[in-house]
Amino acid sequence: MTVTELAPRFFLAAVVILLVCRGVSWALGRVRQPPVVGEMIAGVLLGPSLLGLLAPGLERELFPPALLPVLYVVGQVGLVAFMFQAGHEFRSYLSRAIAGTAVTVSAAGITVPLVLGAGLTFLARGHVDIFVPGVSTGVSAAFVGVALAITAFPMLARIITERGLAGSRFGSLALASGALDDVVAWILLAGILSVHTGRTRPVLEAVGGAALFAAVVVLVLRKLLDRAMAHPRMSEEARLLVTVAVLFTAAWFTDEVGLYSVFGAFGIGMAMPRTAPAERVVHTTSYSTRTVFLPMFFTYSGLNTRFSLLDRPALLLFSLAAVVAAVIGKFGACWAVARLRGEPNAVAARLGTLMNARGLMQLIALNVGLQAGLVNHSLFTALVLVALVTTVMTSPLLSLLDRRSPVPDPDQDPAAAGLPPVEVEARLTAQ
């Protein structure tokens, strides 16, 4: 297919993707699911799991194989915009004394599901067709473990913002723990790729690149963005151009070192100042780009998901076991550790619920595994099911917790809301 033939196919596919994603998101919004959940499900519906099953000719016409790389690249732009906004929002949640609990919760939320996922994969050896020829069982097990250990940080940030939980203790803990989770998970994924290829360079690049990127953001880019946003002679267009240039450069660098573009975007979002000009630039950069381009990524993932494979009893059983391991490993471990750290049950239960969502970030990891030849379509489908179930259950569980054990307003009862003792004393003194 030539470029001139591909361009009109892309525009037609884009119209279909945007309308279907908007329609499904609207329908699920009626039951308080965030828009990103609707886009995830819409992406699966447009693939072989539904459209390809009902009208395979139409699916091939709408999404020819030559179009898939285009959808992937365009979808990356949406992901970068989404994570840029998430990083900017996250910066405002760092005022609470949550570091110790966040690190502990993150460690449990990585270790337990990783062990459970790897153990389940070893048990499946010889019984379920989820292994790629030439890929060792250990590498496959480690990949499944990392996939279950991931938290959907961007979606978690969106749920927290849309439900008005920004600034709550469990919201801040979930954001901090989720961010740590995913940074560690990407480094582990780079390690898995290193073992698979027999080269140590990927993991060294990931660790060294992460340290170099953090240093450049703190020492150089943050000051550059501060001056650009505050310069009195700089127009809105110039501020936008500087920001996008820095954002895309960060996305390129973190992609090159194996941390992937989403973390470069997140870092730049955190580096943006909290001023009115910066807020306008963030909104302009992220809103339209994320709205138009992010659905492309979900559709790309959906086109690689084949739920018809779940008619195989062994694969269906593995998929259900993976869902159970994911929920126990993430929700159970984060809840238990938060309780051990002295958090009230109302805070710990919500923290575990938020950390259990995997959605977007797990889909990114699965696509990395698919492109690297670590994952076949059976395992891809099973883990997409995990991503969907654990993400869809988040909002209903939060609503159930709100009805059964509402969290007290920290301004009215800071001690009951689970705030640190120093902040409790400060609030009570202010009252």
Side-chain angles (χ1 to χ4, degrees):
M1 185 175 290
T2 65
V3 174
T4 54
E5 293 172 329
L6 191 59
R9 294 293 189 94
F10 168 76
F11 290 124
L12 177 60
V15 171
V16 172
I17 291 169
L18 293 175
L19 292 179
V20 172
C21 285
R22 179 57 59 186
V24 176
S25 296
W26 175 85
L28 291 180
R30 310 287 289 182
V31 292
R32 300 196 67 184
Q33 289 288 352
V36 181
V37 173
E39 292 171 353
M40 282 180 60
I41 294 176
V44 172
L45 297 181
L46 288 171
S49 296
L50 182 65
L51 182 60
L53 192 63
L54 300 177
L58 178 60
E59 188 210 1
R60 287 193 297 270
E61 193 67 22
L62 280 174
F63 308 113
L67 185 63
L68 299 188
V70 179
L71 291 179
Y72 180 80
V73 172
V74 173
Q76 293 298 305
V77 178
L79 284 175
V80 165
F82 193 97
M83 285 299 288
F84 173 61
Q85 184 183 32
H88 186 59
E89 293 172 351
F90 177 63
R91 182 176 175 179
S92 65
Y93 306 149
L94 297 178
S95 60
R96 298 179 183 273
I98 59 174
T101 300
V103 170
T104 308
V105 169
S106 176
I110 292 172
T111 304
V112 178
L114 193 154
V115 171
L116 291 178
L120 177 64
T121 308
F122 277 112
L123 291 175
R125 183 68 182 177
H127 304 286
V128 190
D129 182 24
I130 58 170
F131 298 93
V132 177
V135 177
S136 70
T137 304
V139 167
S140 297
F143 181 86
V144 173
V146 169
L148 297 193
I150 285 174
T151 291
F153 176 77
M155 187 172 296
L156 182 151
R158 183 57 44 203
I159 291 172
I160 287 173
T161 301
E162 290 176 352
R163 294 179 70 95
L165 304 176
S168 66
R169 182 161 177 80
F170 63 86
S172 299
L173 281 170
L175 284 167
S177 302
L180 289 171
D181 254 19
D182 286 346
V183 169
V184 174
W186 290 122
I187 293 175
L188 290 175
L189 184 58
I192 293 170
L193 293 174
S194 294
V195 173
H196 174 60
T197 58
R199 296 181 292 115
T200 59
R201 182 176 176 180
V203 70
L204 294 177
E205 285 183 347
V207 175
L212 176 60
F213 176 70
V216 171
V217 168
V218 171
L219 300 176
V220 180
L221 296 182
R222 187 171 62 178
K223 296 178 181 178
L224 171 65
L225 292 169
D226 281 343
R227 291 177 180 175
M229 296 304 113
H231 199 290
R233 296 183 180 179
M234 186 166 284
S235 66
E236 292 291 323
E237 291 80 3
R239 290 192 182 103
L240 180 63
L241 178 61
V242 170
T243 302
V244 172
V246 171
L247 177 62
F248 282 7
T249 301
W252 162 78
F253 178 78
T254 49
D255 241 339
E256 285 292 312
V257 300
L259 285 177
Y260 302 97
S261 59
V262 290
F263 281 100
F266 177 71
I268 299 304
M270 287 191 65
M272 286 292 287
R274 305 291 299 185
T275 61
E279 296 289 344
R280 290 194 296 271
V281 168
V282 171
H283 179 78
T284 303
T285 304
S286 63
Y287 182 74
S288 58
T289 308
R290 173 175 52 81
T291 302
V292 174
F293 295 144
L294 188 59
M296 310 292 176
F297 176 80
F298 291 115
T299 300
Y300 176 82
S301 298
L303 293 171
N304 288 305
T305 303
R306 303 173 183 174
F307 280 141
S308 59
L309 295 173
L310 296 178
D311 62 356
R312 305 173 188 173
L315 181 60
L316 177 60
L317 182 61
F318 174 84
S319 302
L320 296 177
V323 170
V324 173
V327 173
I328 293 175
K330 186 69 78 169
F331 174 87
C334 293
W335 170 83
V337 168
R339 292 291 286 147
L340 290 173
R341 290 283 302 181
E343 299 294 336
N345 188 60
V347 171
R350 286 168 172 81
L351 177 57
T353 299
L354 288 167
M355 291 290 289
N356 189 50
R358 288 168 179 82
L360 179 63
M361 300 305 281
Q362 187 171 4
L363 292 183
I364 297 172
L366 293 180
N367 280 286
V368 169
L370 190 67
Q371 293 174 5
L374 297 176
V375 176
N376 61 17
H377 284 289
S378 296
L379 182 57
F380 189 92
T381 298
L383 294 178
V384 166
L385 182 64
V386 173
L388 286 172
V389 171
T390 57
T391 305
V392 168
M393 68 190 289
T394 301
S395 288
L397 277 179
L398 287 174
S399 298
L400 179 63
L401 289 169
D402 288 342
R403 291 193 298 271
R404 293 192 173 184
S405 57
V407 174
D409 184 348
D411 291 326
Q412 301 298 324
D413 188 0
L419 299 179
V422 172
E423 190 163 344
V424 170
E425 183 179 352
R427 297 252 181 138
L428 291 175
T429 301
Q431 292 175 4

